Amino acid sequence: ALWEVDRQVSAENGLKKGSVVTSVNSWTQTDTSGQIITELVKDDDLISGTEVLRRWREATGDIPGAKTLGFEGAAGGPGGGADFSVQLIGSNITEVGRAAAELERRVRQYEGLYDIRNSHERGTPEIKLNIKPEAETLGLSLADLARQVRAGFYGEEVQRIQRGQDEVRVMVRYPEDERDSVGYLNTVRIRTPDGGRVPFHAVAEVEMGEAPNRIQRFDRERAVQISAEVDTEKFEPGKISQDILDNELPEVLALFPGVRHRLSGATRSMQEVQTDMLKGAAFAFFLIYALMAVPLKSYSQPLIIMSVIPFGAIGALFGHWILGLQVSMLSFFGLIALAGVVVNDSLILVDFVNRERALGVEIRQAVVDATRKRFRAILLTSLTTFFGLVPIVLESSLQAKLVIPMATSLAFGILFATVITLFLIPSLYMLLDHFGQWWRNAWLHMLPGKSTSPDARETAGGTGQATDHPGKSQI
């Protein structure tokens, strides 16, 4: 199937065979598992590794008898497991297995999911021996019974012979034609402690069962994992995972009350990263606010400056839409960094207005002068940052794919926030000043013994409660 994909892509691009796949290495890991590793030509303009995986997976189809078949790319984002992964946990492995089968059936109905895996699989057939009460009267124990059966079918070491540099073990056991069937157990004679021999069926019972290939536990209970990969070229892993967790999983757990769930793999890593990121963002916003509140000597002006942050986020999302990028965790990392950058332009405006008002300039004129005189500095600051990030945003190499979402968030967020800043910050500054004057006047009306006549209000204004004199109406 891989060579067929290579022929198709080569023919589509007018190239000879072998233009996509440069080397293939395949080997078996155990008697029942194997792996293939292939190296592709380093030319993203020809075809991407994700597209090769998709075509290879479709060309291969289902392999009869294969328990697990997975296609993975080595050049992806930060690891952490499958795109969707959840563990079902319970004390009864049979009930957990049924719940896992039901969830797997529901997950397979989602478009865009592939490599769906259920870790609950049939184990290796095994024979369980149970000793009868009659055997105990003969002095036999279950350990004696198991040891003699093992010696007959597997062998007992009786001697070691030195042959040159090698040491050869001599094993004694039943002939091969008497070891290839379970039925031969009934012909086995068990030796008793007094040297006698009794038929196997007289002292033991045989029970057929299965030995699990591996046992998964969580909190001392059995666990089964359901995982799947998401076609990230067409679908958002977070949305599909959330839809399964909100709609399908509760219905499955309702059918099996003794089963609970736990996120694992990339799903769990994503939630942990989101939680840590929200905490980090809250701490970063607090530091930004504190660093501006101290020099400005105001609790409200930092809020005006930080009001541009949501608009920067809108610009970042708009940039992802223009470039056709999906919003990922790396995009949110860029948004947090963006919060510390977009406030620079707002800080320039607010600081200039404060200095103008300290010189006695009327508030409206101070706002207009700040916007007009600082326009060039604000615009150049934003444009230089934007064009400095453009080469990263437009880079198409595989090595740059990790940082492109962060660079996109920064570049377009700064550009959009700059335009908003020139209109939003002056307006909010004047609204804040008007609200402050209204609040002071309303407070004076509520104070007992205060006159509400015009002369009284003028006198109050002369004391610095509400006036446009230099430095008196700063909030």
Short mmCIF file of all heavy atoms in Angstrom, two decimals, residues 297-357:
data_model
loop_
_atom_site.label_atom_id
_atom_site.label_comp_id
_atom_site.label_asym_id
_atom_site.label_seq_id
_atom_site.Cartn_x
_atom_site.Cartn_y
_atom_site.Cartn_z
N LYS A 297 -0.85 55.71 39.76
CA LYS A 297 -1.55 56.10 40.98
C LYS A 297 -3.06 56.10 40.78
O LYS A 297 -3.77 57.03 41.18
CB LYS A 297 -1.07 57.48 41.46
CG LYS A 297 0.41 57.53 41.78
CD LYS A 297 0.85 58.92 42.22
CE LYS A 297 2.34 58.94 42.52
NZ LYS A 297 2.80 60.31 42.93
N SER A 298 -3.53 55.05 40.14
CA SER A 298 -4.96 54.94 39.84
C SER A 298 -5.34 53.47 39.79
O SER A 298 -4.57 52.63 39.34
CB SER A 298 -5.27 55.62 38.50
OG SER A 298 -6.60 55.34 38.11
N TYR A 299 -6.56 53.19 40.28
CA TYR A 299 -7.09 51.83 40.18
C TYR A 299 -7.90 51.62 38.92
O TYR A 299 -8.11 50.47 38.51
CB TYR A 299 -7.97 51.53 41.39
CG TYR A 299 -7.21 51.45 42.70
CD1 TYR A 299 -7.40 52.41 43.69
CD2 TYR A 299 -6.31 50.43 42.94
CE1 TYR A 299 -6.71 52.35 44.88
CE2 TYR A 299 -5.61 50.35 44.13
CZ TYR A 299 -5.82 51.32 45.11
OH TYR A 299 -5.12 51.25 46.28
N SER A 300 -8.38 52.67 38.31
CA SER A 300 -9.27 52.55 37.16
C SER A 300 -8.56 52.68 35.82
O SER A 300 -8.94 52.04 34.84
CB SER A 300 -10.40 53.58 37.25
OG SER A 300 -9.85 54.89 37.40
N GLN A 301 -7.54 53.53 35.74
CA GLN A 301 -6.85 53.73 34.47
C GLN A 301 -6.19 52.45 33.95
O GLN A 301 -6.20 52.21 32.73
CB GLN A 301 -5.82 54.86 34.59
CG GLN A 301 -6.45 56.24 34.64
CD GLN A 301 -5.43 57.35 34.59
OE1 GLN A 301 -4.22 57.10 34.49
NE2 GLN A 301 -5.91 58.59 34.64
N PRO A 302 -5.61 51.59 34.80
CA PRO A 302 -5.09 50.31 34.26
C PRO A 302 -6.17 49.46 33.60
O PRO A 302 -5.89 48.73 32.64
CB PRO A 302 -4.51 49.62 35.50
CG PRO A 302 -4.15 50.73 36.41
CD PRO A 302 -5.20 51.78 36.21
N LEU A 303 -7.41 49.55 34.10
CA LEU A 303 -8.50 48.81 33.47
C LEU A 303 -8.79 49.33 32.06
O LEU A 303 -9.11 48.56 31.15
CB LEU A 303 -9.76 48.89 34.33
CG LEU A 303 -9.65 48.25 35.73
CD1 LEU A 303 -10.94 48.45 36.50
CD2 LEU A 303 -9.32 46.77 35.61
N ILE A 304 -8.68 50.66 31.88
CA ILE A 304 -8.84 51.24 30.55
C ILE A 304 -7.76 50.71 29.61
O ILE A 304 -8.03 50.32 28.47
CB ILE A 304 -8.79 52.78 30.62
CG1 ILE A 304 -9.95 53.32 31.43
CG2 ILE A 304 -8.79 53.38 29.22
CD1 ILE A 304 -9.94 54.82 31.58
N ILE A 305 -6.53 50.70 30.11
CA ILE A 305 -5.42 50.24 29.28
C ILE A 305 -5.59 48.77 28.91
O ILE A 305 -5.35 48.37 27.77
CB ILE A 305 -4.09 50.47 30.03
CG1 ILE A 305 -3.88 51.97 30.27
CG2 ILE A 305 -2.92 49.88 29.26
CD1 ILE A 305 -2.68 52.30 31.14
N MET A 306 -6.02 47.96 29.85
CA MET A 306 -6.16 46.52 29.61
C MET A 306 -7.42 46.17 28.84
O MET A 306 -7.59 45.01 28.44
CB MET A 306 -6.14 45.77 30.95
CG MET A 306 -4.83 45.90 31.71
SD MET A 306 -4.87 45.08 33.33
CE MET A 306 -4.99 43.37 32.83
N SER A 307 -8.31 47.12 28.62
CA SER A 307 -9.54 46.83 27.88
C SER A 307 -9.27 46.47 26.43
O SER A 307 -10.15 45.90 25.76
CB SER A 307 -10.48 48.04 27.94
OG SER A 307 -9.90 49.16 27.27
N VAL A 308 -8.09 46.76 25.94
CA VAL A 308 -7.76 46.45 24.55
C VAL A 308 -7.37 44.98 24.37
O VAL A 308 -7.33 44.48 23.24
CB VAL A 308 -6.63 47.38 24.06
CG1 VAL A 308 -5.28 46.94 24.63
CG2 VAL A 308 -6.58 47.45 22.55
N ILE A 309 -7.10 44.27 25.47
CA ILE A 309 -6.66 42.87 25.38
C ILE A 309 -7.70 41.99 24.68
O ILE A 309 -7.34 41.19 23.80
CB ILE A 309 -6.30 42.33 26.78
CG1 ILE A 309 -5.06 43.07 27.32
CG2 ILE A 309 -6.05 40.83 26.73
CD1 ILE A 309 -4.66 42.64 28.73
N PRO A 310 -9.00 42.06 25.04
CA PRO A 310 -9.97 41.22 24.32
C PRO A 310 -10.01 41.50 22.82
O PRO A 310 -10.21 40.58 22.02
CB PRO A 310 -11.31 41.58 24.98
CG PRO A 310 -10.93 42.09 26.34
CD PRO A 310 -9.64 42.79 26.15
N PHE A 311 -9.81 42.75 22.42
CA PHE A 311 -9.82 43.06 20.99
C PHE A 311 -8.58 42.49 20.30
O PHE A 311 -8.62 42.12 19.13
CB PHE A 311 -9.90 44.58 20.80
CG PHE A 311 -11.19 45.17 21.27
CD1 PHE A 311 -11.30 45.71 22.54
CD2 PHE A 311 -12.31 45.16 20.45
CE1 PHE A 311 -12.49 46.25 22.99
CE2 PHE A 311 -13.51 45.70 20.90
CZ PHE A 311 -13.60 46.24 22.17
N GLY A 312 -7.47 42.43 21.03
CA GLY A 312 -6.30 41.77 20.47
C GLY A 312 -6.55 40.29 20.24
O GLY A 312 -6.10 39.71 19.24
N ALA A 313 -7.29 39.66 21.17
CA ALA A 313 -7.65 38.25 21.00
C ALA A 313 -8.53 38.06 19.77
O ALA A 313 -8.39 37.08 19.03
CB ALA A 313 -8.34 37.72 22.25
N ILE A 314 -9.45 39.00 19.54
CA ILE A 314 -10.29 38.91 18.34
C ILE A 314 -9.45 38.99 17.08
O ILE A 314 -9.65 38.25 16.12
CB ILE A 314 -11.35 40.04 18.36
CG1 ILE A 314 -12.32 39.83 19.53
CG2 ILE A 314 -12.10 40.10 17.04
CD1 ILE A 314 -13.31 40.94 19.71
N GLY A 315 -8.47 39.89 17.08
CA GLY A 315 -7.58 39.98 15.93
C GLY A 315 -6.77 38.72 15.72
O GLY A 315 -6.54 38.29 14.57
N ALA A 316 -6.35 38.08 16.81
CA ALA A 316 -5.59 36.83 16.69
C ALA A 316 -6.45 35.73 16.07
O ALA A 316 -6.00 34.99 15.19
CB ALA A 316 -5.09 36.40 18.06
N LEU A 317 -7.71 35.62 16.50
CA LEU A 317 -8.61 34.62 15.93
C LEU A 317 -8.90 34.92 14.46
O LEU A 317 -9.01 34.01 13.63
CB LEU A 317 -9.92 34.59 16.73
CG LEU A 317 -9.79 34.16 18.20
CD1 LEU A 317 -11.15 34.22 18.88
CD2 LEU A 317 -9.21 32.77 18.30
N PHE A 318 -9.02 36.20 14.14
CA PHE A 318 -9.24 36.60 12.75
C PHE A 318 -8.04 36.21 11.88
O PHE A 318 -8.19 35.78 10.74
CB PHE A 318 -9.50 38.10 12.68
CG PHE A 318 -9.87 38.59 11.30
CD1 PHE A 318 -11.08 38.27 10.74
CD2 PHE A 318 -8.97 39.38 10.57
CE1 PHE A 318 -11.42 38.72 9.46
CE2 PHE A 318 -9.31 39.83 9.31
CZ PHE A 318 -10.53 39.50 8.76
N GLY A 319 -6.82 36.36 12.43
CA GLY A 319 -5.63 35.97 11.70
C GLY A 319 -5.59 34.47 11.44
O GLY A 319 -5.17 34.03 10.36
N HIS A 320 -6.02 33.68 12.42
CA HIS A 320 -6.08 32.23 12.20
C HIS A 320 -7.06 31.89 11.09
O HIS A 320 -6.82 30.97 10.29
CB HIS A 320 -6.50 31.52 13.50
CG HIS A 320 -5.39 31.34 14.48
ND1 HIS A 320 -4.86 32.39 15.23
CD2 HIS A 320 -4.69 30.24 14.86
CE1 HIS A 320 -3.90 31.93 16.00
NE2 HIS A 320 -3.77 30.64 15.81
N TRP A 321 -8.17 32.62 11.05
CA TRP A 321 -9.17 32.37 10.01
C TRP A 321 -8.62 32.73 8.62
O TRP A 321 -8.85 32.01 7.65
CB TRP A 321 -10.44 33.17 10.30
CG TRP A 321 -11.50 33.02 9.26
CD1 TRP A 321 -12.29 31.94 9.02
CD2 TRP A 321 -11.85 34.01 8.28
NE1 TRP A 321 -13.14 32.18 7.96
CE2 TRP A 321 -12.90 33.44 7.48
CE3 TRP A 321 -11.41 35.30 8.00
CZ2 TRP A 321 -13.47 34.14 6.43
CZ3 TRP A 321 -12.00 35.99 6.96
CH2 TRP A 321 -13.02 35.40 6.18
N ILE A 322 -7.90 33.83 8.53
CA ILE A 322 -7.34 34.25 7.24
C ILE A 322 -6.34 33.21 6.72
O ILE A 322 -6.34 32.85 5.54
CB ILE A 322 -6.67 35.64 7.38
CG1 ILE A 322 -7.72 36.71 7.63
CG2 ILE A 322 -5.87 35.97 6.12
CD1 ILE A 322 -7.13 38.09 7.83
N LEU A 323 -5.48 32.72 7.61
CA LEU A 323 -4.44 31.78 7.21
C LEU A 323 -4.92 30.33 7.17
O LEU A 323 -4.15 29.44 6.79
CB LEU A 323 -3.24 31.90 8.15
CG LEU A 323 -2.54 33.27 8.19
CD1 LEU A 323 -1.42 33.25 9.20
CD2 LEU A 323 -2.02 33.65 6.81
N GLY A 324 -6.16 30.09 7.58
CA GLY A 324 -6.68 28.73 7.57
C GLY A 324 -6.07 27.85 8.64
O GLY A 324 -5.98 26.62 8.47
N LEU A 325 -5.66 28.44 9.76
CA LEU A 325 -5.06 27.67 10.86
C LEU A 325 -6.12 27.34 11.90
O LEU A 325 -7.04 28.12 12.13
CB LEU A 325 -3.94 28.47 11.52
CG LEU A 325 -2.74 28.84 10.65
CD1 LEU A 325 -1.79 29.74 11.45
CD2 LEU A 325 -2.02 27.59 10.18
N GLN A 326 -5.96 26.19 12.54
CA GLN A 326 -6.84 25.82 13.64
C GLN A 326 -6.28 26.40 14.93
O GLN A 326 -5.07 26.46 15.14
CB GLN A 326 -6.96 24.30 13.75
CG GLN A 326 -7.73 23.66 12.61
CD GLN A 326 -8.01 22.19 12.87
OE1 GLN A 326 -7.63 21.67 13.90
NE2 GLN A 326 -8.67 21.55 11.93
N VAL A 327 -7.19 26.83 15.80
CA VAL A 327 -6.78 27.38 17.09
C VAL A 327 -6.35 26.23 17.99
O VAL A 327 -7.13 25.33 18.29
CB VAL A 327 -7.92 28.17 17.73
CG1 VAL A 327 -7.49 28.73 19.08
CG2 VAL A 327 -8.37 29.31 16.82
N SER A 328 -5.10 26.24 18.40
CA SER A 328 -4.54 25.19 19.24
C SER A 328 -4.05 25.78 20.56
O SER A 328 -4.17 26.99 20.81
CB SER A 328 -3.38 24.50 18.51
OG SER A 328 -2.34 25.43 18.26
N MET A 329 -3.50 24.90 21.40
CA MET A 329 -2.97 25.37 22.67
C MET A 329 -1.81 26.34 22.44
O MET A 329 -1.62 27.28 23.21
CB MET A 329 -2.50 24.19 23.51
CG MET A 329 -3.62 23.28 23.98
SD MET A 329 -4.90 24.17 24.90
CE MET A 329 -3.95 24.83 26.25
N LEU A 330 -1.04 26.11 21.39
CA LEU A 330 0.06 27.04 21.09
C LEU A 330 -0.47 28.41 20.71
O LEU A 330 0.18 29.43 20.97
CB LEU A 330 0.91 26.46 19.96
CG LEU A 330 1.63 25.14 20.29
CD1 LEU A 330 2.32 24.58 19.05
CD2 LEU A 330 2.63 25.34 21.40
N SER A 331 -1.66 28.46 20.11
CA SER A 331 -2.29 29.75 19.80
C SER A 331 -2.62 30.49 21.09
O SER A 331 -2.46 31.72 21.18
CB SER A 331 -3.55 29.54 18.97
OG SER A 331 -3.28 28.82 17.78
N PHE A 332 -3.10 29.77 22.10
CA PHE A 332 -3.43 30.40 23.37
C PHE A 332 -2.18 30.87 24.09
O PHE A 332 -2.22 31.88 24.81
CB PHE A 332 -4.22 29.43 24.24
CG PHE A 332 -5.64 29.24 23.79
CD1 PHE A 332 -6.04 28.08 23.17
CD2 PHE A 332 -6.58 30.25 23.98
CE1 PHE A 332 -7.34 27.90 22.75
CE2 PHE A 332 -7.88 30.09 23.55
CZ PHE A 332 -8.28 28.91 22.94
N PHE A 333 -1.07 30.16 23.92
CA PHE A 333 0.18 30.65 24.49
C PHE A 333 0.53 32.01 23.87
O PHE A 333 0.99 32.92 24.56
CB PHE A 333 1.32 29.66 24.22
CG PHE A 333 1.17 28.37 24.97
CD1 PHE A 333 1.72 27.20 24.48
CD2 PHE A 333 0.47 28.32 26.16
CE1 PHE A 333 1.58 26.01 25.17
CE2 PHE A 333 0.33 27.14 26.86
CZ PHE A 333 0.89 25.98 26.36
N GLY A 334 0.30 32.13 22.56
CA GLY A 334 0.53 33.41 21.91
C GLY A 334 -0.39 34.49 22.41
O GLY A 334 -0.01 35.66 22.51
N LEU A 335 -1.63 34.14 22.75
CA LEU A 335 -2.59 35.12 23.27
C LEU A 335 -2.14 35.67 24.62
O LEU A 335 -2.31 36.86 24.91
CB LEU A 335 -3.98 34.49 23.39
CG LEU A 335 -4.72 34.22 22.08
CD1 LEU A 335 -6.04 33.53 22.36
CD2 LEU A 335 -4.96 35.52 21.32
N ILE A 336 -1.59 34.79 25.47
CA ILE A 336 -1.11 35.26 26.77
C ILE A 336 0.06 36.23 26.58
O ILE A 336 0.15 37.26 27.25
CB ILE A 336 -0.70 34.06 27.64
CG1 ILE A 336 -1.92 33.20 27.94
CG2 ILE A 336 -0.06 34.54 28.93
CD1 ILE A 336 -1.59 31.96 28.73
N ALA A 337 0.97 35.88 25.66
CA ALA A 337 2.07 36.81 25.37
C ALA A 337 1.55 38.10 24.77
O ALA A 337 2.09 39.19 25.03
CB ALA A 337 3.06 36.13 24.43
N LEU A 338 0.48 37.99 23.96
CA LEU A 338 -0.11 39.18 23.33
C LEU A 338 -0.62 40.17 24.36
O LEU A 338 -0.54 41.39 24.16
CB LEU A 338 -1.24 38.74 22.40
CG LEU A 338 -2.05 39.84 21.71
CD1 LEU A 338 -1.18 40.58 20.71
CD2 LEU A 338 -3.26 39.24 21.01
N ALA A 339 -1.16 39.64 25.49
CA ALA A 339 -1.72 40.52 26.52
C ALA A 339 -0.67 41.48 27.06
O ALA A 339 -0.98 42.62 27.43
CB ALA A 339 -2.31 39.68 27.65
N GLY A 340 0.57 41.05 27.13
CA GLY A 340 1.62 41.92 27.63
C GLY A 340 2.17 42.89 26.62
O GLY A 340 2.92 43.81 26.98
N VAL A 341 1.81 42.70 25.35
CA VAL A 341 2.34 43.56 24.28
C VAL A 341 1.34 44.63 23.87
O VAL A 341 1.71 45.79 23.66
CB VAL A 341 2.75 42.70 23.07
CG1 VAL A 341 3.28 43.58 21.94
CG2 VAL A 341 3.81 41.68 23.47
N VAL A 342 0.06 44.26 23.74
CA VAL A 342 -0.93 45.22 23.22
C VAL A 342 -1.18 46.37 24.18
O VAL A 342 -1.69 47.42 23.76
CB VAL A 342 -2.25 44.50 22.89
CG1 VAL A 342 -2.07 43.50 21.78
CG2 VAL A 342 -2.82 43.82 24.13
N VAL A 343 -0.86 46.21 25.46
CA VAL A 343 -1.09 47.30 26.40
C VAL A 343 -0.08 48.43 26.24
O VAL A 343 -0.28 49.52 26.80
CB VAL A 343 -1.06 46.77 27.85
CG1 VAL A 343 -2.18 45.76 28.08
CG2 VAL A 343 0.29 46.16 28.18
N ASN A 344 0.98 48.18 25.49
CA ASN A 344 2.00 49.23 25.34
C ASN A 344 1.44 50.47 24.67
O ASN A 344 1.68 51.60 25.12
CB ASN A 344 3.18 48.68 24.53
CG ASN A 344 3.95 47.61 25.28
OD1 ASN A 344 3.84 47.50 26.50
ND2 ASN A 344 4.70 46.81 24.56
N ASP A 345 0.70 50.27 23.57
CA ASP A 345 0.13 51.42 22.86
C ASP A 345 -0.86 52.17 23.74
O ASP A 345 -0.90 53.42 23.76
CB ASP A 345 -0.55 50.95 21.58
CG ASP A 345 0.43 50.36 20.59
OD1 ASP A 345 1.64 50.66 20.70
OD2 ASP A 345 0.01 49.58 19.72
N SER A 346 -1.69 51.44 24.47
CA SER A 346 -2.67 52.09 25.36
C SER A 346 -1.96 52.87 26.46
O SER A 346 -2.39 53.97 26.83
CB SER A 346 -3.58 51.03 25.98
OG SER A 346 -4.21 50.26 24.98
N LEU A 347 -0.89 52.31 26.97
CA LEU A 347 -0.14 52.98 28.03
C LEU A 347 0.46 54.29 27.53
O LEU A 347 0.51 55.28 28.27
CB LEU A 347 0.94 52.04 28.55
CG LEU A 347 1.77 52.52 29.74
CD1 LEU A 347 0.87 52.78 30.93
CD2 LEU A 347 2.83 51.49 30.10
N ILE A 348 0.93 54.28 26.28
CA ILE A 348 1.48 55.51 25.71
C ILE A 348 0.44 56.61 25.67
O ILE A 348 0.69 57.77 26.03
CB ILE A 348 2.04 55.23 24.30
CG1 ILE A 348 3.27 54.31 24.38
CG2 ILE A 348 2.39 56.53 23.58
CD1 ILE A 348 3.80 53.89 23.03
N LEU A 349 -0.77 56.27 25.22
CA LEU A 349 -1.84 57.26 25.13
C LEU A 349 -2.25 57.79 26.50
O LEU A 349 -2.35 59.01 26.72
CB LEU A 349 -3.06 56.64 24.44
CG LEU A 349 -3.07 56.62 22.92
CD1 LEU A 349 -4.36 55.97 22.41
CD2 LEU A 349 -2.97 58.03 22.35
N VAL A 350 -2.51 56.89 27.45
CA VAL A 350 -2.98 57.31 28.76
C VAL A 350 -1.91 58.15 29.47
O VAL A 350 -2.23 59.17 30.11
CB VAL A 350 -3.36 56.07 29.60
CG1 VAL A 350 -3.66 56.47 31.05
CG2 VAL A 350 -4.57 55.37 28.99
N ASP A 351 -0.66 57.76 29.36
CA ASP A 351 0.40 58.54 30.00
C ASP A 351 0.50 59.94 29.40
O ASP A 351 0.69 60.91 30.13
CB ASP A 351 1.72 57.79 29.86
CG ASP A 351 2.87 58.53 30.51
OD1 ASP A 351 2.87 58.62 31.75
OD2 ASP A 351 3.76 59.02 29.78
N PHE A 352 0.34 60.05 28.08
CA PHE A 352 0.41 61.36 27.44
C PHE A 352 -0.76 62.24 27.88
O PHE A 352 -0.58 63.44 28.14
CB PHE A 352 0.40 61.20 25.92
CG PHE A 352 0.76 62.46 25.17
CD1 PHE A 352 2.07 62.73 24.82
CD2 PHE A 352 -0.21 63.39 24.84
CE1 PHE A 352 2.39 63.89 24.14
CE2 PHE A 352 0.11 64.57 24.17
CZ PHE A 352 1.42 64.82 23.81
N VAL A 353 -1.96 61.68 27.97
CA VAL A 353 -3.12 62.44 28.43
C VAL A 353 -2.92 62.93 29.85
O VAL A 353 -3.22 64.09 30.19
CB VAL A 353 -4.40 61.60 28.32
CG1 VAL A 353 -5.59 62.35 28.93
CG2 VAL A 353 -4.71 61.27 26.87
N ASN A 354 -2.41 62.09 30.71
CA ASN A 354 -2.17 62.49 32.10
C ASN A 354 -1.18 63.65 32.18
O ASN A 354 -1.36 64.58 32.98
CB ASN A 354 -1.65 61.30 32.91
CG ASN A 354 -2.71 60.26 33.16
OD1 ASN A 354 -3.91 60.54 33.08
ND2 ASN A 354 -2.29 59.03 33.48
N ARG A 355 -0.14 63.61 31.37
CA ARG A 355 0.85 64.70 31.40
C ARG A 355 0.25 65.99 30.86
O ARG A 355 0.53 67.08 31.37
CB ARG A 355 2.07 64.29 30.58
CG ARG A 355 2.98 63.29 31.30
CD ARG A 355 4.27 63.09 30.56
NE ARG A 355 4.05 62.39 29.30
CZ ARG A 355 4.98 62.28 28.35
NH1 ARG A 355 6.17 62.83 28.52
NH2 ARG A 355 4.72 61.61 27.26
N GLU A 356 -0.59 65.89 29.83
CA GLU A 356 -1.24 67.09 29.29
C GLU A 356 -2.17 67.71 30.32
O GLU A 356 -2.21 68.93 30.49
CB GLU A 356 -2.02 66.73 28.02
CG GLU A 356 -1.15 66.42 26.81
CD GLU A 356 -0.55 67.68 26.23
OE1 GLU A 356 -1.31 68.50 25.67
OE2 GLU A 356 0.68 67.86 26.33
N ARG A 357 -2.93 66.87 31.02
CA ARG A 357 -3.87 67.39 32.01
C ARG A 357 -3.13 67.99 33.20
O ARG A 357 -3.62 68.93 33.84
CB ARG A 357 -4.80 66.28 32.47
CG ARG A 357 -5.66 65.72 31.33
CD ARG A 357 -6.91 65.11 31.84
NE ARG A 357 -7.74 66.11 32.49
CZ ARG A 357 -8.75 65.85 33.31
NH1 ARG A 357 -9.02 64.58 33.59
NH2 ARG A 357 -9.46 66.80 33.86
#
